[in-house]
Amino acid sequence: KETPMKVIIAGSRDLTDFGWVKPAVLESGFDIDQVVSGGARGVDKLGELYSLEELGKTATIMAADWNRYGRKGPNHAGRVRNRQMGDYSEGLLALTLGTSGTTDMINYMRQLGKPVAVLDLSRPKVPVFIFPDGSSGPFFEIPVVKEWFWPCR
């Protein structure tokens, strides 16, 4: 069994189906003790919901300070927030549709040498799961949802 970890659950803002989160957590192998969230809509909010429903506690939210750092430039608020979350946490579970903010978070965690698991939903038909050890494979755990759609870009 893994040591309990502070894990960021983050990803695409357009991904709003909670059915993906628990199977992705199980597949990652992370023993999550604390969820860290950027507070954005989409996967960040789903991570906060996971924390409440599965861990029985509120997630640690590190929201971007858009007023202070702005939305443009090399040190915009989203990037500053990603660095703060990365420095604080011990791992990342990213559920992505291939968006730039998620890619930035993944790259920063890898730069730090921290474990990263990615559920890549940017491809139609067969989502791909990238494990913390860098190996990958198809993700066949299809969530039970009221409305089903294949996220495509």
Side-chain angles (χ1 to χ4, degrees), residues 5 7-8 10 24 27-30 86 89-96 102-119 129-136:
M5 301 170 64
V7 175
I8 301 164
E27 192 76 15
S28 75
F30 291 143
S89 70
E90 298 163 316
L92 167 66
L93 173 59
L95 288 77
T96 184
T102 307
T103 302
D104 178 68
M105 186 80 252
I106 292 167
N107 290 338
Y108 186 64
M109 292 297 283
R110 287 182 174 154
Q111 180 184 330
L112 293 174
K114 295 183 180 183
V116 174
V118 180
L119 176 54
F129 197 85
I130 302 168
F131 297 91
D133 67 3
S135 64
S136 65

Side-chain angles (χ1 to χ4, degrees), residues 132-149:
D133 67 3
S135 64
S136 65
F139 187 78
F140 292 112
E141 182 71 40
I142 306 301
V144 177
V145 293
K146 293 180 184 170
E147 262 182 45
W148 179 253
F149 65 94

